[in-house]
Amino acid sequence: MLTLIDRYIIKKYLSTFTVLFIMFIPIAIMVDVSDKVDKFLERKVPFDAIVGYYLDFTVYFANLLFPIFLFISVIWFTSKMANNTEVVAMLSSGISFSRFLRPFMISAGIIAAFGFFMSVILVPISSRGFYEFKYKWLKRKDTSRETVNLYKQISPNDFIYSSSFDLEKKRANRFTLEHFEDNELKIKLTASNITWIEEDSLYRLRRYTKRIIGPGDDIIERKREHDTIFNFDLEDLTPNNYTAETLSYTALNKFIKQETMRGSSNINRYLMVKYKKWSLPFSAFVLTVIAVAVSSIKRRGGMGVNLAFGIIIAFTFIFLDKILGVLAQKSGMEPIVAVWLPNIMFGILAIYLLNNAKR
């Protein structure tokens, strides 16, 4: 059962977090507008598209800086309680530090649930709008896809290759499809290019050659132009590198399984998106413990010292998360290690600070 003190702390925690969120989002939007207004005017971006972009930007930005909002809000109101000797009064009344920490952890649980809801429901929807606007209006060239030297496995027995891919024309150049049975090449199909003909719902291959490899002589079929149907979509063969961020959790698992089979070079990025849906909410508990341990002690420098320390810790957490993310994508570092290592490192720091605060 929650006591009066519990309800007081939970109310302070959630209200401070909400106010900080409401304050920072408009500032972030104004900074972003000032940076992009020239491009908006130059490219004549429709007003309704800009409004939609900033609605998506709000969710995307909030999810990105979730640890900072949480950490600073706890540092702020806990330091204020310490300066008003409220913390001393609570602990002097016989409440243990662990019991004092309980309402903070309940509040962290509420924030973590909110963060998980955002990452699973809201963030995928907003990420799609955010990235589509970015590559449509703000980037002169779409660099979100692999478009050269595409080699994919499309089924357990079929592999395809293309030297280049044109998304607008739905055309792949120097196309090859190889079919294997019992690790032996049985059919090889080549074409100078393959184009999706939307009105006929088929693929058109030019300078088409099909070789059926037999025990004796091979069977070779050549045509200047050949129409056929394949069980793949050209666009699916080169998904956006941000596709994983726009999918629900169930769809994301299916997408990762499919891209793993296809040998995607972005698989580590996709796995990190999946693991972060769990690690980010968990960070709410770790950062809350650190913030309470640091700010519950009244210091000579007042709230300023605690806030400065809090901002440094929060930005260090995000910086470490980004650095490890790059390492996971560019090197052999396991994505699950890259995602959870900040929580593990700061969790150890939280335990150390908490033991000191109890003394």
XYZ file of all heavy atoms in Angstrom, residues 8-84:
646
model
N 3.567 11.304 -2.730
C 4.207 12.617 -2.906
C 5.396 12.499 -3.874
O 5.536 13.299 -4.811
C 4.671 13.142 -1.547
C 5.496 14.410 -1.604
C 4.903 15.639 -1.871
C 6.879 14.368 -1.383
C 5.667 16.798 -1.920
C 7.644 15.518 -1.427
C 7.032 16.731 -1.695
O 7.788 17.883 -1.749
N 6.237 11.489 -3.652
C 7.425 11.306 -4.505
C 7.029 10.896 -5.933
O 7.578 11.413 -6.909
C 8.375 10.266 -3.889
C 8.992 10.821 -2.594
C 9.486 9.882 -4.878
C 9.853 9.829 -1.843
N 6.061 9.983 -6.037
C 5.615 9.550 -7.367
C 5.038 10.729 -8.150
O 5.320 10.895 -9.349
C 4.575 8.417 -7.243
C 5.241 7.152 -6.703
C 3.907 8.133 -8.594
C 4.263 6.041 -6.354
N 4.244 11.556 -7.474
C 3.670 12.736 -8.119
C 4.772 13.689 -8.584
O 4.730 14.214 -9.708
C 2.718 13.444 -7.144
C 2.047 14.674 -7.742
C 1.132 15.330 -6.725
C 0.510 16.615 -7.310
N -0.376 17.286 -6.321
N 5.767 13.911 -7.719
C 6.891 14.791 -8.068
C 7.664 14.238 -9.278
O 8.034 14.979 -10.194
C 7.828 14.936 -6.865
C 7.340 15.862 -5.773
C 7.569 17.302 -6.171
C 7.273 18.238 -5.018
N 7.505 19.657 -5.389
N 7.923 12.947 -9.238
C 8.700 12.288 -10.307
C 7.999 12.457 -11.655
O 8.579 12.964 -12.627
C 8.854 10.809 -9.960
C 9.821 10.023 -10.818
C 10.836 9.270 -10.236
C 9.703 9.979 -12.209
C 11.725 8.514 -11.013
C 10.584 9.237 -12.985
C 11.584 8.509 -12.374
O 12.447 7.781 -13.141
N 6.727 12.023 -11.706
C 6.003 12.018 -12.974
C 5.714 13.428 -13.484
O 5.805 13.692 -14.687
C 4.695 11.235 -12.825
C 4.846 9.758 -12.431
C 3.478 9.095 -12.315
C 5.699 9.011 -13.451
N 5.377 14.340 -12.576
C 5.066 15.711 -13.006
C 6.316 16.420 -13.519
O 6.265 17.135 -14.522
C 4.440 16.502 -11.856
O 5.328 16.599 -10.757
N 7.455 16.220 -12.837
C 8.702 16.840 -13.289
C 9.129 16.291 -14.644
O 9.550 17.042 -15.529
C 9.833 16.614 -12.268
O 9.406 17.041 -10.972
C 11.079 17.388 -12.659
N 9.009 14.981 -14.826
C 9.345 14.355 -16.104
C 8.457 14.912 -17.218
O 8.945 15.250 -18.314
C 9.167 12.836 -16.004
C 9.435 12.101 -17.286
C 10.729 11.773 -17.656
C 8.386 11.742 -18.125
C 10.979 11.098 -18.847
C 8.633 11.070 -19.313
C 9.928 10.741 -19.676
N 7.160 15.055 -16.942
C 6.222 15.562 -17.953
C 6.521 17.011 -18.310
O 6.528 17.389 -19.489
C 4.778 15.441 -17.437
O 4.506 14.081 -17.090
C 3.786 15.903 -18.489
N 6.757 17.842 -17.281
C 7.060 19.260 -17.523
C 8.347 19.411 -18.323
O 8.425 20.215 -19.261
C 7.163 20.023 -16.184
C 7.733 21.432 -16.406
C 5.798 20.117 -15.514
N 9.360 18.648 -17.970
C 10.638 18.712 -18.691
C 10.441 18.303 -20.151
O 11.000 18.919 -21.059
C 11.649 17.786 -18.016
C 13.128 18.038 -18.331
C 13.575 19.362 -17.750
C 13.985 16.917 -17.783
N 9.639 17.264 -20.355
C 9.345 16.797 -21.712
C 8.645 17.898 -22.513
O 9.012 18.190 -23.659
C 8.452 15.558 -21.618
C 8.060 14.970 -22.937
C 8.887 14.068 -23.576
C 6.859 15.305 -23.543
C 8.528 13.510 -24.796
C 6.498 14.764 -24.754
C 7.336 13.863 -25.391
N 7.644 18.521 -21.905
C 6.881 19.579 -22.578
C 7.757 20.802 -22.869
O 7.595 21.476 -23.892
C 5.656 19.979 -21.726
C 4.667 18.801 -21.658
C 4.969 21.214 -22.285
C 3.513 19.021 -20.698
N 8.715 21.087 -21.995
C 9.598 22.241 -22.191
C 10.620 22.014 -23.295
O 10.876 22.904 -24.115
C 10.326 22.568 -20.881
C 9.474 23.221 -19.814
S 10.396 23.437 -18.276
C 11.804 24.403 -18.833
N 11.205 20.833 -23.323
C 12.317 20.581 -24.238
C 11.867 20.345 -25.677
O 12.587 20.708 -26.610
C 13.147 19.382 -23.750
C 14.280 19.765 -22.851
C 14.061 19.997 -21.501
C 15.561 19.924 -23.348
C 15.105 20.355 -20.658
C 16.606 20.276 -22.526
C 16.389 20.507 -21.175
N 10.712 19.730 -25.875
C 10.262 19.407 -27.229
C 10.090 20.657 -28.088
O 10.599 20.710 -29.219
C 8.966 18.573 -27.190
C 9.239 17.183 -26.616
C 8.363 18.463 -28.588
C 10.236 16.362 -27.414
N 9.391 21.718 -27.613
C 9.286 22.935 -28.440
C 10.643 23.554 -28.749
O 10.850 24.080 -29.855
C 8.437 23.877 -27.575
C 7.663 22.978 -26.682
C 8.583 21.842 -26.386
N 11.570 23.489 -27.784
C 12.909 24.031 -28.030
C 13.599 23.247 -29.143
O 14.205 23.822 -30.049
C 13.743 23.986 -26.733
C 13.144 24.922 -25.675
C 15.200 24.369 -27.016
C 13.793 24.811 -24.314
N 13.488 21.921 -29.079
C 14.104 21.072 -30.107
C 13.493 21.348 -31.472
O 14.202 21.388 -32.496
C 13.923 19.602 -29.734
N 12.174 21.560 -31.511
C 11.498 21.847 -32.784
C 11.964 23.182 -33.351
O 12.239 23.289 -34.555
C 9.961 21.838 -32.591
C 9.484 20.406 -32.318
C 9.266 22.408 -33.822
C 8.007 20.301 -32.007
N 12.080 24.203 -32.484
C 12.520 25.520 -32.958
C 13.945 25.473 -33.496
O 14.257 26.091 -34.526
C 12.416 26.553 -31.825
C 10.994 26.973 -31.508
S 10.900 28.376 -30.375
C 11.562 27.649 -28.873
N 14.815 24.725 -32.825
C 16.197 24.581 -33.299
C 16.221 23.876 -34.648
O 16.949 24.285 -35.568
C 17.044 23.796 -32.266
C 18.410 23.448 -32.837
C 17.197 24.603 -30.977
N 15.399 22.841 -34.781
C 15.358 22.093 -36.039
C 14.766 22.932 -37.166
O 15.248 22.879 -38.308
C 14.529 20.815 -35.854
C 14.729 19.816 -36.984
O 15.823 19.222 -37.045
O 13.810 19.655 -37.810
N 13.731 23.715 -36.871
C 13.128 24.591 -37.883
C 14.131 25.616 -38.376
O 14.268 25.856 -39.583
C 11.873 25.289 -37.325
C 11.418 26.404 -38.263
C 10.740 24.291 -37.141
N 14.856 26.246 -37.448
C 15.847 27.251 -37.833
C 16.946 26.658 -38.705
O 17.499 27.340 -39.574
C 16.462 27.898 -36.584
O 17.194 26.934 -35.837
N 17.229 25.381 -38.503
C 18.273 24.719 -39.279
C 17.789 24.319 -40.681
O 18.567 24.309 -41.633
C 18.757 23.479 -38.524
C 19.868 22.739 -39.255
O 20.907 23.373 -39.544
O 19.705 21.542 -39.528
N 16.481 24.044 -40.806
C 15.960 23.502 -42.063
C 15.056 24.455 -42.830
O 14.589 24.117 -43.926
C 15.191 22.205 -41.781
C 16.047 21.068 -41.237
C 15.226 19.812 -41.042
C 16.086 18.610 -40.671
N 16.781 18.760 -39.407
N 14.771 25.625 -42.293
C 13.796 26.527 -42.940
C 14.205 26.893 -44.363
O 13.345 27.021 -45.250
C 13.573 27.794 -42.072
C 14.852 28.636 -41.984
C 12.417 28.614 -42.611
N 15.498 27.066 -44.619
C 15.959 27.404 -45.973
C 15.617 26.285 -46.960
O 15.198 26.549 -48.097
C 17.466 27.652 -45.980
C 17.846 28.921 -45.236
O 16.949 29.780 -45.078
O 19.010 29.064 -44.823
N 15.789 25.038 -46.530
C 15.470 23.907 -47.408
C 13.970 23.800 -47.629
O 13.520 23.466 -48.740
C 16.001 22.607 -46.802
C 17.522 22.507 -46.778
C 17.985 21.178 -46.207
C 19.507 21.095 -46.213
N 19.990 19.815 -45.627
N 13.179 24.079 -46.582
C 11.721 24.062 -46.729
C 11.273 25.048 -47.805
O 10.431 24.730 -48.648
C 11.037 24.397 -45.399
C 11.207 23.348 -44.321
C 11.070 23.696 -42.981
C 11.484 22.036 -44.639
C 11.211 22.743 -41.991
C 11.636 21.069 -43.655
C 11.493 21.434 -42.321
N 11.850 26.271 -47.761
C 11.474 27.307 -48.711
C 12.009 27.003 -50.110
O 11.309 27.171 -51.109
C 11.986 28.671 -48.231
C 11.396 29.180 -46.908
C 12.097 30.461 -46.475
C 9.890 29.415 -47.055
N 13.247 26.555 -50.164
C 13.885 26.279 -51.453
C 13.162 25.167 -52.214
O 12.987 25.246 -53.436
C 15.347 25.895 -51.219
C 16.104 25.513 -52.482
C 17.489 24.963 -52.191
O 17.957 25.084 -51.029
O 18.106 24.415 -53.114
N 12.741 24.126 -51.487
C 12.119 22.970 -52.137
C 10.596 23.000 -52.076
O 9.936 22.040 -52.448
C 12.670 21.686 -51.515
C 14.169 21.573 -51.776
C 14.869 20.548 -50.939
N 16.317 20.743 -51.051
C 17.224 19.992 -50.454
N 16.830 18.988 -49.696
N 18.506 20.244 -50.607
N 10.048 24.143 -51.578
C 8.604 24.366 -51.549
C 7.855 23.198 -50.901
O 6.937 22.611 -51.485
C 8.091 24.611 -52.967
C 8.695 25.852 -53.620
C 8.175 26.055 -55.027
C 8.810 27.293 -55.657
N 8.334 27.513 -57.057
N 8.290 22.865 -49.701
C 7.675 21.761 -48.963
C 6.283 22.182 -48.501
O 6.126 23.247 -47.904
C 8.530 21.364 -47.744
C 7.917 20.164 -47.044
C 9.956 21.064 -48.166
N 5.232 21.395 -48.765
C 3.877 21.745 -48.323
C 3.796 21.887 -46.807
O 4.449 21.152 -46.069
C 3.024 20.561 -48.810
C 3.820 19.945 -49.909
C 5.268 20.150 -49.543
N 2.957 22.826 -46.366
C 2.849 23.101 -44.934
C 2.352 21.881 -44.161
O 2.841 21.587 -43.068
C 1.900 24.287 -44.704
C 1.719 24.642 -43.248
C 2.719 25.283 -42.542
C 0.539 24.300 -42.586
C 2.557 25.600 -41.193
C 0.371 24.613 -41.244
C 1.386 25.271 -40.550
N 1.364 21.171 -44.720
C 0.834 19.998 -44.009
C 1.886 18.899 -43.876
O 1.901 18.158 -42.885
C -0.411 19.464 -44.707
C -0.146 19.049 -46.156
O 0.826 19.553 -46.746
O -0.911 18.221 -46.689
N 2.809 18.800 -44.856
C 3.897 17.821 -44.764
C 4.855 18.201 -43.643
O 5.365 17.330 -42.927
C 4.642 17.730 -46.093
N 5.106 19.509 -43.482
C 5.996 19.982 -42.411
C 5.375 19.709 -41.046
O 6.055 19.258 -40.120
C 6.290 21.484 -42.584
C 7.069 21.731 -43.881
C 7.080 22.025 -41.387
C 7.291 23.195 -44.192
N 4.068 19.984 -40.921
C 3.373 19.723 -39.646
C 3.443 18.233 -39.305
O 3.741 17.853 -38.164
C 1.904 20.183 -39.724
C 1.141 19.741 -38.473
C 1.825 21.704 -39.870
N 3.184 17.372 -40.295
C 3.262 15.933 -40.066
C 4.656 15.497 -39.670
O 4.832 14.633 -38.793
N 5.662 16.117 -40.302
C 7.060 15.788 -39.985
C 7.376 16.102 -38.531
O 8.017 15.298 -37.838
C 7.988 16.573 -40.909
C 9.432 16.586 -40.479
C 10.220 15.442 -40.583
C 10.020 17.739 -39.953
C 11.553 15.445 -40.187
C 11.349 17.758 -39.559
C 12.107 16.619 -39.676
O 13.427 16.629 -39.270
N 6.920 17.262 -38.042
C 7.256 17.639 -36.667
C 6.436 16.882 -35.628
O 6.878 16.746 -34.476
C 7.151 19.154 -36.487
C 8.392 19.826 -37.025
C 8.364 20.558 -38.197
C 9.612 19.663 -36.381
C 9.522 21.135 -38.707
C 10.764 20.230 -36.874
C 10.724 20.967 -38.041
O 11.881 21.518 -38.537
N 5.291 16.365 -36.001
C 4.584 15.450 -35.103
C 5.388 14.157 -34.956
O 5.546 13.633 -33.843
C 3.186 15.151 -35.648
C 2.168 16.296 -35.595
C 0.876 15.899 -36.282
C 1.895 16.704 -34.146
N 5.889 13.653 -36.077
C 6.744 12.458 -36.040
C 8.065 12.755 -35.345
O 8.592 11.927 -34.586
C 7.020 11.952 -37.463
C 5.769 11.450 -38.150
O 4.894 10.902 -37.454
O 5.652 11.622 -39.382
N 8.600 13.948 -35.576
C 9.866 14.367 -34.963
C 9.755 14.380 -33.447
O 10.703 14.011 -32.736
C 10.236 15.763 -35.476
C 11.435 16.383 -34.817
C 12.714 16.116 -35.272
C 11.283 17.247 -33.735
C 13.818 16.698 -34.662
C 12.372 17.827 -33.123
C 13.649 17.552 -33.586
N 8.595 14.800 -32.938
C 8.391 14.869 -31.479
C 8.561 13.506 -30.831
O 9.269 13.356 -29.829
C 6.983 15.418 -31.167
O 6.875 16.754 -31.674
C 6.725 15.435 -29.666
N 7.924 12.487 -31.407
C 8.031 11.130 -30.856
C 9.447 10.590 -31.038
O 10.026 9.996 -30.125
C 7.005 10.198 -31.537
C 7.153 8.766 -31.015
C 5.594 10.696 -31.299
N 10.020 10.808 -32.224
C 11.371 10.314 -32.523
C 12.391 10.946 -31.580
O 13.255 10.263 -31.021
C 11.712 10.648 -33.973
C 13.075 10.175 -34.419
C 13.266 8.877 -34.875
C 14.180 11.022 -34.387
C 14.519 8.429 -35.288
C 15.430 10.588 -34.786
C 15.593 9.300 -35.246
O 16.833 8.879 -35.647
N 12.291 12.266 -31.393
C 13.221 12.997 -30.534
C 13.059 12.588 -29.073
O 14.050 12.413 -28.351
C 12.979 14.502 -30.697
C 13.870 15.373 -29.865
C 15.166 15.670 -30.275
C 13.427 15.922 -28.666
C 15.992 16.486 -29.514
C 14.244 16.728 -27.898
C 15.531 17.014 -28.329
N 11.813 12.431 -28.637
C 11.551 12.035 -27.243
C 12.143 10.663 -26.951
O 12.721 10.438 -25.884
C 10.053 12.034 -26.981
N 11.999 9.741 -27.882
C 12.561 8.398 -27.700
C 14.081 8.436 -27.687
O 14.731 7.725 -26.913
C 12.076 7.492 -28.818
C 12.531 6.054 -28.659
O 12.103 5.345 -27.758
N 13.409 5.618 -29.544
N 14.661 9.294 -28.523
C 16.118 9.413 -28.604
C 16.714 9.946 -27.308
O 17.748 9.461 -26.828
C 16.493 10.326 -29.774
C 17.982 10.551 -30.032
C 18.642 9.256 -30.507
C 18.179 11.654 -31.064
N 16.057 10.965 -26.731
C 16.595 11.614 -25.521
C 15.856 11.190 -24.256
O 15.913 11.895 -23.244
C 16.538 13.139 -25.682
C 17.372 13.719 -26.825
C 17.319 15.241 -26.801
C 18.824 13.257 -26.728
N 15.203 10.073 -24.321
C 14.483 9.536 -23.160
C 15.354 9.477 -21.899
O 14.924 9.915 -20.824
C 13.950 8.145 -23.534
C 13.316 7.384 -22.404
C 12.005 7.602 -22.048
C 14.034 6.422 -21.702
C 11.414 6.890 -21.019
C 13.461 5.700 -20.677
C 12.145 5.938 -20.340
N 16.602 8.966 -21.962
C 17.432 8.909 -20.753
C 17.734 10.282 -20.157
O 17.791 10.435 -18.929
C 18.733 8.232 -21.239
C 18.335 7.492 -22.469
C 17.289 8.335 -23.111
N 17.943 11.289 -21.021
C 18.248 12.637 -20.519
C 17.050 13.219 -19.797
O 17.171 13.782 -18.695
C 18.680 13.550 -21.680
C 20.052 13.116 -22.200
C 18.739 15.005 -21.240
C 20.582 13.977 -23.320
N 15.855 13.133 -20.394
C 14.652 13.651 -19.747
C 14.450 13.012 -18.372
O 14.180 13.699 -17.384
C 13.418 13.366 -20.618
C 13.369 14.149 -21.896
C 12.738 13.634 -23.006
C 13.961 15.397 -21.995
C 12.687 14.354 -24.196
C 13.917 16.121 -23.174
C 13.278 15.596 -24.282
N 14.593 11.702 -18.319
C 14.368 10.988 -17.072
C 15.395 11.361 -16.014
O 15.046 11.684 -14.883
C 14.406 9.476 -17.345
C 14.151 8.553 -16.162
C 13.349 7.341 -16.613
C 15.449 8.065 -15.535
N 16.660 11.345 -16.403
C 17.733 11.556 -15.431
C 17.693 12.971 -14.851
O 17.799 13.161 -13.634
C 19.079 11.296 -16.111
C 20.194 10.997 -15.157
C 20.284 9.766 -14.526
C 21.155 11.948 -14.875
C 21.315 9.490 -13.642
C 22.178 11.680 -13.999
C 22.263 10.447 -13.376
N 17.537 13.956 -15.720
C 17.526 15.347 -15.255
C 16.308 15.616 -14.381
O 16.397 16.345 -13.379
C 17.574 16.319 -16.445
C 18.920 16.202 -17.165
C 17.362 17.759 -15.987
C 19.056 17.096 -18.384
N 15.156 15.035 -14.734
C 13.953 15.269 -13.929
C 14.122 14.715 -12.517
O 13.735 15.364 -11.532
C 12.732 14.640 -14.608
O 12.879 13.240 -14.730
N 14.718 13.516 -12.375
C 14.937 12.934 -11.044
C 15.970 13.755 -10.274
O 15.784 14.047 -9.080
C 15.390 11.463 -11.149
C 15.660 10.891 -9.763
C 14.336 10.633 -11.851
N 17.056 14.132 -10.941
C 18.074 14.972 -10.296
C 17.458 16.274 -9.796
O 17.727 16.729 -8.676
C 19.215 15.293 -11.297
C 20.087 14.055 -11.552
C 20.067 16.453 -10.791
C 21.121 13.773 -10.508
N 16.618 16.868 -10.605
C 16.036 18.182 -10.294
C 15.183 18.142 -9.024
O 15.443 18.875 -8.073
C 15.214 18.672 -11.488
C 14.488 19.964 -11.224
C 13.245 20.129 -10.680
C 14.986 21.288 -11.454
N 12.929 21.452 -10.569
C 13.972 22.193 -11.046
C 16.169 21.781 -11.981
C 14.123 23.566 -11.146
C 16.313 23.164 -12.079
C 15.317 24.036 -11.668
N 14.158 17.267 -9.028
C 13.240 17.335 -7.885
C 13.834 16.682 -6.637
O 13.522 17.082 -5.510
C 11.872 16.744 -8.243
C 11.745 15.256 -8.113
C 11.454 14.662 -6.888
C 11.881 14.439 -9.225
C 11.311 13.292 -6.784
C 11.742 13.076 -9.120
C 11.457 12.495 -7.897
N 14.713 15.709 -6.782
C 15.342 15.089 -5.608
C 16.324 16.056 -4.961
O 16.412 16.135 -3.724
C 16.057 13.783 -5.987
O 15.178 12.943 -6.721
C 16.505 13.035 -4.739
N 17.077 16.806 -5.762
C 17.988 17.821 -5.225
C 17.213 18.905 -4.484
O 17.648 19.391 -3.435
C 18.798 18.464 -6.358
O 19.646 17.535 -6.975
N 16.065 19.255 -5.046
C 15.224 20.261 -4.393
C 14.723 19.752 -3.041
O 14.693 20.495 -2.040
C 14.044 20.607 -5.302
C 13.308 21.872 -4.903
C 12.300 22.272 -5.973
C 11.591 23.564 -5.566
N 10.596 23.977 -6.594
N 14.356 18.474 -3.006
C 13.933 17.871 -1.736
C 15.086 17.851 -0.741
O 14.892 18.126 0.463
C 13.435 16.446 -1.980
C 12.087 16.347 -2.682
S 11.654 14.642 -3.124
C 11.644 13.876 -1.507
N 16.290 17.546 -1.216
C 17.456 17.501 -0.325
C 17.779 18.889 0.216
O 18.091 19.041 1.410
C 18.657 16.939 -1.084
N 17.713 19.911 -0.643
C 18.008 21.285 -0.203
C 16.978 21.787 0.800
O 17.282 22.631 1.653
C 18.051 22.226 -1.409
C 19.320 22.056 -2.218
O 20.302 21.499 -1.742
N 19.306 22.511 -3.456
N 15.755 21.275 0.688
C 14.709 21.660 1.647
C 14.690 20.751 2.877
O 13.735 20.808 3.668
C 13.337 21.611 0.965
C 13.184 22.657 -0.118
O 13.858 23.681 -0.098
N 12.311 22.399 -1.085
